[in-house]
Every structure is written in C-alpha cells, then in structure tokens.
Amino acid sequence: NTITKIKNPIYAAADIGLKLVELLKKKQEKTKFVFGIGLSTSKCYMGTIGSNEKRSWKSIGPALPRGLVMSQLSILLETPLLMDEDCESTLSETEFQRRLADQVYLRDQGTIRVYQLVSRVIYKNDEWIYELRNKESSSWCSSYNDAVDALKHDNLSEATQHIESFLLKHKHDFLGKNLSSLINHLYQSNISFEDYLEHQDESDLAVGSLFKSYFIQNNPIFSNKSE
C-alpha cells in the first residue's frame, strides 16, 4: 500500500531496495550468501522492437548497465544498497539517509559518484520494518558524513577526527576504513582532495575507484556494456 502512494519512481525504488535489504539480511541469518542491490536512473528508450515474426519489449539506456555496476560494487564494498548520483540528487535529504561510498570511472559514461542508501529518516505508522528498525539509529553515519564534508574543504585534521570517531563505534565498517585510508594518503602525499580527484587515472579500464582498486590490470571486474 505504501508504494502505490509514491508518485516518484525513484522514491518507490528506494523504498523497495531498503525493504529487500531487510528481508535478505533475515535470510542470511539462516543461509550464508552475499547480495548486492544497485539503483540507477537515466533517460531510456522503451518499447517493443523486432519484426512481425518476433517482438520483445526492451529498455535501452545507461541506467541498466550502471545499475549492474552498482550491484556488483556493493558486494565488493560490503554495502548492501548503492545508488548513483542521479538517484542521490533526487532523494530528499530529510527523508533518506545516505553517505558517499566511492567515485568510479565508467568507460563511455565518465566519472560518477556512488552513494550508500542507508535508511528512511521520516517514520510513519505503517508496516515497513526498516523504518522501525532504523528509527533509533538514523544518524549512525553522521560522523562519516562529517568526515567527507571536512575532506571536501581540505580540512584533513577535522576529517581525521570525525572518521576516527566513527570507527571507534564501527571498527569493521568497510567504507569507514576506506575513507580513513584515503585521508591518510592525502596527508602523506601533501595534496588537496580536489587535486587528487583531478589526477584520477581514467584509463581504458571499465571501472577505476576513488578509494582503492577493484580490478586487475587489463582484466576489469566490471563491464558497463549490456548483454
């Protein structure tokens, strides 16, 4: 019932994704498996194609292969639900909690920022499990986000304090450890965050990462081309 009341399809996808995370995590308590969910949006061509003998419905656009990359990257980042920057910019900050997860270079699409969708911030009296579960911990990654904000302003000292505070409570958090490593790298290299971004290696590999490498030279894990 909740989903039918949502007119924006990105909001509906975010709600469904968060619900799936909760359901799959419950199944993980009984059976060991890994999963990753990716959200992406773009303009697409949709409709039926083919001949009189055979027709099929197709959706053609960058959202489909990019969503696949989001889901694959979510497994490597140990983050159950990732979304691209177009989804992130659409979702209200007062309704959905998110955090910067990485920045990746996609061949033919350029560099995009990737965000973890954490939870809903607004809670209503309905059946959604994730809203009730996250009500008391809706600000659990605020120190992480503060570290990112400080990093954007090249305040490495403040960024270090925030990320250390976050890791004290969440020492096994993969994204937190990645961000801490990046801050330490900027300290040692004595370069600004913006300079670091400008000198990212945009080689012919399918995906390059802001925080670390997820590929083997000349053998990319990801492919942003649809099958």
Side-chain angles (χ1 to χ4, degrees):
N1 294 334
T2 303
I3 296 176
T4 58
K5 298 177 183 178
I6 300 175
K7 296 181 179 180
N8 189 316
I10 299 178
Y11 276 61
D15 273 318
I16 293 171
L18 289 169
K19 179 68 173 179
L20 282 173
V21 169
E22 287 297 332
L23 293 176
L24 291 173
K25 281 186 175 180
K26 280 194 171 183
K27 288 186 175 294
Q28 281 182 325
E29 296 175 359
K30 299 179 180 179
T31 306
K32 291 184 178 180
F33 66 94
V34 295
F35 70 90
I37 301 173
L39 301 181
S40 179
T41 183
S42 72
K43 293 182 179 180
C44 297
Y45 292 100
M46 296 182 289
T48 56
I49 62 173
S51 63
N52 292 332
E53 288 74 24
K54 183 178 181 180
R55 288 180 177 271
S56 60
W57 187 91
K58 294 290 185 180
S59 177
I60 303 174
L64 298 178
R66 200 162 60 205
L68 175 61
V69 170
M70 297 298 103
S71 64
Q72 293 173 321
L73 186 59
S74 69
I75 295 175
L76 293 178
L77 292 177
E78 300 179 12
T79 306
L81 178 55
L82 290 180
M83 59 182 172
D84 64 16
E85 55 193 11
D86 291 334
C87 286
E88 190 275 336
S89 63
T90 302
L91 297 176
S92 169
E93 292 186 5
T94 61
E95 294 186 49
F96 290 92
Q97 185 185 23
R98 80 291 305 273
R99 61 172 173 165
L100 177 66
D102 212 330
Q103 178 168 295
V104 296
Y105 175 74
L106 302 181
R107 187 192 300 139
D108 300 329
Q109 296 187 39
T111 302
I112 63 170
R113 293 194 173 184
V114 180
Y115 295 82
Q116 179 189 3
L117 181 57
V118 179
S119 66
R120 254 192 181 276
V121 178
I122 293 179
Y123 305 98
K124 301 176 182 178
N125 294 324
D126 59 32
E127 65 199 38
W128 292 96
I129 301 173
Y130 67 83
E131 290 184 340
L132 298 175
R133 184 169 181 176
N134 289 312
K135 187 170 184 179
E136 295 181 356
S137 58
S138 62
S139 61
W140 73 272
C141 64
S142 59
S143 295
Y144 179 99
N145 288 333
D146 290 339
V148 173
D149 290 337
L151 187 60
K152 291 178 181 178
H153 292 88
D154 289 321
N155 192 334
L156 297 182
S157 177
E158 183 178 337
T160 300
Q161 292 177 4
H162 286 306
I163 197 60
E164 287 180 350
S165 174
F166 174 80
L167 289 174
L168 281 176
K169 299 178 180 179
H170 313 283
K171 62 181 180 179
H172 298 299
D173 183 78
F174 193 90
L175 296 184
K177 291 186 288 187
N178 272 2
L179 183 57
S180 179
S181 297
L182 174 60
I183 295 172
N184 290 333
H185 171 72
L186 295 180
Y187 255 128
Q188 296 172 6
S189 304
N190 195 28
I191 59 175
S192 69
F193 184 54
E194 290 301 321
D195 287 341
Y196 177 80
L197 295 181
E198 290 179 4
H199 291 86
Q200 258 195 299
D201 179 24
E202 296 187 355
S203 65
D204 61 348
L205 293 170
V207 174
S209 170
L210 169 64
F211 295 122
K212 63 180 297 186
S213 172
Y214 300 109
F215 51 75
I216 302 173
Q217 187 68 28
N218 299 321
N219 184 25
I221 294 174
F222 305 120
S223 172
N224 66 325
K225 296 181 179 180
S226 57
E227 298 295 335

